[in-house]
Amino acid sequence: MKKHFLFLFFVVMLLLPYFSVHATEKYRTEAEHSIAVEATTGKILYEQEATTPTSIGSITNLLTIYLVYEAIEQGKLTLDTPVPISDYAYNLTITSPVTNIPLDKRSYPVQELIYASLIASANSATIALAEQVAGSEATFVDLMKEKLTSWGISDATILNSTGLSKDMLEDKQTSEEKEPIENRLSAIDVAIIARHLILDYPQVLKVTSQSHFSMNGTTYYGTNPMLKGGIYERSGLDGLKTASGTSMVATSLENGMRVITVVLHTKEGDLYPEKRFLETTNLMNYAYQYFTWTPIVEAGQAYQDSKVRVFNGKKSTIPAVAKQDLMVAKRNRYKKETTAKTNGLDTVLDAPLSKGTVLGTLTLNDTDLIGHGYIDEQPSIELVAAKDTATANWPFSWWNHFVRYVNEKL
């Protein structure tokens, strides 16, 4: 009995280091590249080989649709603008093996083509939108590159608006070089694109949350069974894009926290396309199990007695309160308090001050960083005056100005 006890004790002591390893170090996806990001703040919740560019296929459509929504915002077109289908785009629907739907009417409103691009991965619809925005797909590609550069993405290879390999298109590569032949982005690059799309144009989720759409009197079904009614349905999941049978970008809003996951090239995904959904589910489960959406300060509240000094006011200081909530995706196993830094509150402001006047900023100071930490700067919010602050009554006002004059001029 004693020997058995000693043996078990030895085994436990041997394995103890493995049980004490953080969850972020134990878990790995069955994909070549993956990442999970909290959407609002951009905090990275999980990262695995996320910085190496790889082929992304029709995930490219997310960037294309971003530029379409941007053109709408700029007044260059509307959702109802009729888009002509060029001979190039049309011929792809009848002569090429690429994913498509018939576009026999040769003109469709922007909204229908957005649905076709995002839900059915219809390449000709995507090309038509690119041509409508920029005049030609080649010019549109320049816009794509410019947008990526503005977001700090410098390692991308962008050849077209769809992500199709050049050897699948009519205008096959004419140079002697064999590479590159397809769009390439890293998982973190894809997460950046998805985050911008969701935050800047949240209406996209009304499209990507649909499992099917109608066009030309025909119903077309997408390839995302994680949406409502699908075999891998996940409550809260409302997008974004599947690709190539081995990759998926997803987003879900659960427990008040929106998470974006990117899974690129699942292992044996060519044989088992459903694996991308299982890996996305596992990665989502991981994010929501190990992280909690936690307030640092709520709107209308001061952060650690944050205040600013006021010259010639009825009060010498006034509270500086949060204009909006400042939140963090806090790892449950991280026991240290997550803090924030105030900026600008050392300035003395002159009365009167109106409620809502910006007094300074509050920036998250999260030290529990995973991988690259955040895909952008840690978030900041404005600190504002909690209420109106009137000027001091005479003779106090006269005396305050006299003292200031003496101190500054004499």
Side-chain angles (χ1 to χ4, degrees):
M1 185 71 180
K2 185 175 181 180
K3 290 182 178 179
H4 284 90
F5 176 80
L6 290 173
F7 174 76
L8 289 174
F9 177 79
F10 174 76
V11 171
V12 169
M13 294 303 294
L14 184 65
L15 295 178
L16 187 60
Y18 295 96
F19 290 120
S20 63
V21 173
H22 290 315
T24 52
E25 298 175 287
K26 291 198 302 181
Y27 171 71
R28 287 187 65 83
T29 64
E30 287 292 311
E32 292 181 16
H33 314 277
S34 54
I35 194 169
V37 175
E38 190 286 309
T40 303
T41 63
K43 179 172 181 173
I44 294 173
L45 312 181
Y46 178 83
E47 183 178 327
Q48 178 181 316
E49 300 295 330
T51 60
T52 304
T54 187
S55 58
I56 58 167
S58 63
I59 288 174
T60 302
N61 295 9
L62 297 178
L63 177 56
T64 297
I65 297 305
Y66 182 96
L67 292 174
V68 172
Y69 279 127
E70 185 177 64
I72 293 173
E73 183 181 34
Q74 294 170 349
K76 297 177 180 178
L77 65 160
T78 70
L79 291 174
D80 297 323
T81 298
V83 179
I85 307 302
S86 67
D87 290 343
Y88 169 58
Y90 178 72
N91 288 336
L92 283 177
T93 69
I94 58 177
T95 63
S96 174
V98 303
T99 304
N100 252 320
I101 61 176
L103 297 176
D104 296 332
K105 285 172 57 177
R106 300 297 293 265
S107 179
Y108 297 86
V110 169
Q111 180 73 300
E112 287 190 6
L113 294 177
I114 289 175
Y115 273 82
S117 174
L118 290 179
I119 299 177
S121 293
N123 290 285
S124 290
T126 307
I127 292 169
L129 287 169
E131 293 174 336
Q132 178 68 25
V133 170
S136 70
E137 188 179 19
T139 304
F140 187 82
V141 168
D142 290 337
L143 296 179
M144 297 170 77
K145 293 177 180 178
E146 290 174 7
K147 184 57 66 176
L148 292 178
T149 299
S150 72
W151 290 338
I153 297 174
S154 59
D155 57 354
T157 298
I158 301 295
L159 305 177
N160 54 48
S161 63
T162 59
L164 286 170
S165 296
K166 279 194 172 185
D167 57 9
M168 300 183 71
L169 298 171
E170 281 188 353
D171 57 342
K172 295 181 181 180
Q173 195 158 320
T174 57
S175 67
E176 295 182 359
E177 295 182 8
K178 295 182 179 180
E179 292 291 343
I181 64 169
E182 55 191 345
N183 294 348
R184 297 173 68 85
L185 288 166
S186 67
I188 196 169
D189 294 339
V190 172
I192 290 171
I193 294 169
R195 180 171 179 254
H196 276 286
L197 180 59
I198 291 171
L199 295 184
D200 295 346
Y201 304 110
Q203 64 266 36
V204 72
L205 297 175
K206 293 182 179 180
V207 179
T208 59
S209 62
Q210 303 301 310
S211 62
H212 60 277
F213 69 101
S214 296
M215 192 173 183
N216 294 335
T218 302
T219 299
Y220 297 95
Y221 290 86
T223 57
N224 185 357
M226 295 186 69
L227 296 172
K228 184 176 181 180
I231 190 172
Y232 296 105
E233 177 182 347
R234 184 182 185 91
S235 179
L237 192 136
D238 48 8
L240 282 165
K241 189 78 182 64
T242 61
S244 307
T246 65
S247 301
M248 183 175 188
V249 183
T251 183
S252 187
L253 179 61
E254 303 171 34
N255 303 324
M257 181 171 68
R258 178 169 290 283
V259 170
I260 298 168
T261 58
V262 179
V263 173
L264 301 179
H265 303 298
T266 53
K267 298 175 182 178
E268 298 183 331
D270 292 330
L271 295 175
Y272 308 103
E274 68 276 9
K275 195 167 184 180
R276 55 186 163 167
F277 310 124
L278 298 174
E279 289 306 312
T280 296
T281 297
N282 290 338
L283 188 50
M284 286 280 184
N285 287 343
Y286 172 86
Y288 285 109
Q289 179 179 353
Y290 287 102
F291 293 86
T292 301
W293 196 226
T294 304
I296 301 298
V297 62
E298 297 180 353
Q301 300 298 313
Y303 176 73
Q304 296 182 348
D305 194 33
S306 54
K307 56 189 175 183
V308 68
R309 290 181 294 162
V310 179
F311 170 74
N312 199 37
K314 287 190 174 181
K315 293 186 176 180
S316 60
T317 62
I318 58 171
V321 301
K323 186 176 182 179
Q324 62 194 72
D325 295 344
L326 180 61
M327 308 287 292
V328 66
K330 186 172 178 60
R331 186 160 57 92
N332 298 331
R333 294 186 177 185
Y334 189 71
K335 300 307 180 184
K336 293 183 180 180
E337 180 184 6
T338 303
T339 61
K341 295 179 180 179
T342 59
N343 299 283
L345 299 187
D346 53 349
T347 302
V348 179
L349 301 177
D350 289 1
L353 292 171
S354 300
K355 179 180 179 180
T357 299
V358 177
L359 307 176
T361 60
L362 182 67
T363 303
L364 188 65
N365 184 30
D366 185 4
T367 57
D368 181 29
L369 304 181
I370 297 167
H372 286 73
Y374 283 75
I375 61 175
D376 202 348
E377 299 292 332
Q378 293 200 29
S380 293
I381 62 170
E382 292 180 336
L383 296 173
V384 299
K387 56 185 178 180
D388 293 338
T389 302
T391 303
N393 295 328
W394 191 91
F396 299 105
S397 177
W398 175 88
W399 176 254
N400 290 336
H401 282 285
F402 174 75
V403 171
R404 172 186 273 186
Y405 178 82
V406 170
N407 290 334
E408 293 181 357
K409 302 296 182 180
L410 299 181

